[in-house]
Amino acid sequence: MGGIIERDTDMKSKLLVLLAALAGFTFNSSAEFRAGIAFRVVTPDPLLPVSGGVGPSHKVTRKEGELNVRALVFEQDSTRVAIVSADFLGFPARLGNKARAAIKGIPPENILIGATHTHSGPDCYGFPDGQGGTSSDEKFLEGVCAKIAEAVNEAVSKLQPAKLKIATGKAQGKIAYNYYAPQLYDPRCNVIQALDASDKPFAMLVNYAVHPEVLGNSVGVCSPDLIGPLYDRIAEKGGGTAIFMNSAQGGMVTADNRQPNGKDARTWEECLRIGTLLADEALRIVQDAPEQASPKLYCAAKPLTLPIESPLMQSLFKRLPGAPPGETKSVTTQLNVVNVGTAQILTIPGEALPNIGFYLKRKMHGKQNMLFGLTNDAFGYILTKEDYQSFERYDYVSRTSLGERTGEVLIDEALKFVNECPKPEAVN
């Protein structure tokens, strides 16, 4: 009888050990970091006029490269985040929310939708054309929203176990400069690269501050500008499918297409040169970064209300599609903080000047700190109150900002939000 009891106890002990092992296996599997990426071509056919900002769009006669929407999805444990980049000047929340509504399996607030800021794509805002109408094409934009949802849903379906390499470094060479003051820009390029189980790169995010306006909106070309060649070069070099997120490129960090004769090179060949160089630099910067085998993922969202003080912007907001009746004195958008591995990401709804970008990144808590400009909305330039209507050079960026307090409100609310969130960490 005693032997039977001992054997029964032994069996129970072994069963408990087995159950504990299975439980541990289940936990580790559910906590596994995964990533997936997909894209869709959204070049209009027939071609549409292209927009470089407030005012009428310009007719085009040909295309160079293809406009894309690209989606990178991260997943770890019960958290799933989508990062979307669209080849347009900006992508307002009115459209972003349509795309979010068609996306499965990701909370809408965890879907970050940004614009590359090409000045050679169709108008997504509905800017007045000066003749009582707009060049914006609502049917085309509905199709873009559908393509964004398709890309995100495909990226979810392609989620696979991934390790990350994350790095920040100065991009060398003739890529960007500040048109207002040549040296006043941030040359740092941030890179997140995802590797599969065999250590092969399959996705790569490039975060860099630049106006992709080599071509601009007045040469009759529809184009992703330098971003298309960036994508092609990274794929060609085995870096994976790439996605570009802009940064603090306001006032006025632009592509360095200056020529010795004092003119700008507004050619597709110059787009190829700059996009290829930026791609090569991004690959160099991430090449020797250590692998993060089990990066942790965190995402939080918070509403941000900004005052609209600029007379131009108050008038514009009244005339845009979906505008509420009456006076528009403020606008509400969404901020996101994302921690992935050792990196921290903060979204900003417009074009922050470089000094704001430097300050925010200095106060963030990642080993690599990234600003995703023109993300979740794009409300023009973001200046400090000291810069607003100061230098004559800042007349344009002041007029096309929400107003004097935009930078101050953004900085205060963004850093308060960052400090409420946990710090990034990687588990290797």
Side-chain angles (χ1 to χ4, degrees), residues 66 70 104 324 346 379:
E66 301 284 0
R70 297 194 168 210
K104 305 168 187 175
L346 172 67
F379 296 138

Side-chain angles (χ1 to χ4, degrees), residues 59-397:
K59 291 183 179 179
V60 299
T61 58
R62 71 184 197 278
K63 67 177 182 178
E64 294 287 3
E66 301 284 0
L67 302 182
N68 279 203
V69 291
R70 297 194 168 210
L72 174 62
V73 175
F74 293 140
E75 179 186 80
Q76 193 259 333
D77 206 357
S78 59
T79 301
R80 189 179 282 174
V81 179
I83 298 168
V84 177
S85 179
D87 281 326
F88 298 103
L89 187 76
F91 205 76
R94 177 182 75 88
L95 299 176
N97 289 336
K98 287 185 179 181
R100 291 181 178 99
I103 292 169
K104 305 168 187 175
I106 305 178
E109 65 273 16
N110 282 20
I111 302 169
L112 289 57
I113 302 179
T116 62
H117 203 52
T118 177
H119 284 48
S120 305
D123 175 15
C124 294
Y125 288 91
F127 292 133
D129 62 6
Q131 300 176 357
T134 176
S135 297
S136 184
D137 186 309
E138 200 65 24
K139 185 177 179 181
F140 167 72
L141 295 175
E142 287 177 4
V144 171
C145 293
K147 293 289 188 183
I148 287 174
E150 285 179 18
V152 175
N153 290 333
E154 182 183 330
V156 170
S157 73
K158 294 166 71 174
L159 283 167
Q160 59 179 300
K163 294 175 282 188
L164 295 182
K165 293 171 70 175
I166 307 176
T168 299
K170 287 185 179 181
Q172 305 291 337
K174 193 169 176 281
I175 299 172
Y177 79 111
N178 190 323
Y179 177 75
Y180 292 163
Q183 298 302 316
L184 299 188
Y185 75 102
D186 187 349
R188 291 173 295 180
C189 178
N190 302 295
V191 184
I192 302 176
Q193 189 175 61
L195 290 74
D196 64 17
S198 62
D199 287 341
K200 181 181 178 181
F202 67 90
M204 182 162 152
L205 184 150
V206 178
N207 174 226
Y208 183 75
V210 65
H211 274 68
E213 56 172 337
V214 173
L215 298 172
N217 64 343
S218 60
V219 297
V221 178
C222 175
S223 176
D225 208 89
L226 66 92
I227 306 304
L230 169 85
Y231 290 159
D232 292 343
R233 180 67 165 189
I234 289 172
E236 174 196 332
K237 290 293 185 178
T241 301
I243 179 171
F244 176 82
M245 299 299 287
N246 222 314
S247 190
Q249 36 57 276
M252 184 72 70
V253 182
T254 192
D256 193 352
N257 59 342
R258 296 172 293 176
Q259 299 297 292
N261 62 7
K263 296 182 179 180
D264 294 333
R266 297 202 174 276
T267 64
W268 178 241
E269 289 71 25
E270 186 71 353
C271 293
L272 290 168
R273 182 192 70 77
I274 297 176
T276 298
L277 178 55
L278 180 56
D280 288 346
E281 285 299 287
L283 289 164
R284 176 187 63 79
I285 287 165
V286 81
Q287 181 177 0
D288 296 325
E291 291 183 3
Q292 300 182 29
S294 304
K296 286 194 173 183
L297 180 65
Y298 169 86
C299 181
K302 176 183 179 179
L304 170 70
T305 299
L306 296 168
I308 305 176
E309 301 163 313
S310 161
L312 172 66
M313 297 299 271
Q314 285 179 353
S315 173
L316 182 62
F317 268 77
K318 289 179 186 177
R319 301 167 70 182
L320 294 180
E327 275 195 294
T328 306
K329 293 291 188 181
S330 65
V331 63
T332 299
T333 185
Q334 175 179 298
L335 284 180
N336 281 95
V337 169
V338 176
N339 296 339
V340 54
T342 53
Q344 185 165 73
I345 297 164
L346 172 67
T347 64
I348 46 177
E351 304 175 63
L353 267 64
N355 52 341
I356 293 178
F358 274 110
Y359 182 75
L360 288 172
K361 283 190 268 192
R362 193 166 74 244
K363 297 295 182 179
M364 291 166 65
H365 302 306
K367 184 176 180 182
Q368 299 87 14
N369 293 317
M370 308 184 188
L371 297 178
F372 284 1
L374 304 132
T375 298
N376 297 331
D377 256 316
F379 296 138
Y381 293 97
I382 301 173
L383 302 81
T384 65
K385 60 185 180 182
E386 291 82 6
D387 287 333
Y388 184 78
Q389 292 185 345
S390 56
F391 304 112
E392 194 172 308
R393 275 288 197 185
Y394 284 173
D395 283 353
Y396 174 74
V397 293

Side-chain angles (χ1 to χ4, degrees), residues 3-84:
I4 294 173
I5 292 172
E6 285 173 3
R7 283 196 299 274
D8 186 52
T9 302
D10 188 50
M11 287 291 290
K12 286 180 179 177
S13 298
K14 288 180 179 178
L15 183 60
L16 287 171
V17 170
L18 178 61
L19 288 171
L22 288 171
F25 174 78
T26 303
F27 174 79
N28 288 334
S29 296
S30 67
E32 183 177 51
F33 184 87
R34 302 199 299 163
I37 193 166
F39 69 92
R40 293 289 187 275
V41 173
V42 292
T43 309
D45 184 15
L47 297 174
L48 294 170
V50 298
S51 173
V54 177
S57 295
H58 293 253
K59 291 183 179 179
V60 299
T61 58
R62 71 184 197 278
K63 67 177 182 178
E64 294 287 3
E66 301 284 0
L67 302 182
N68 279 203
V69 291
R70 297 194 168 210
L72 174 62
V73 175
F74 293 140
E75 179 186 80
Q76 193 259 333
D77 206 357
S78 59
T79 301
R80 189 179 282 174
V81 179
I83 298 168
V84 177

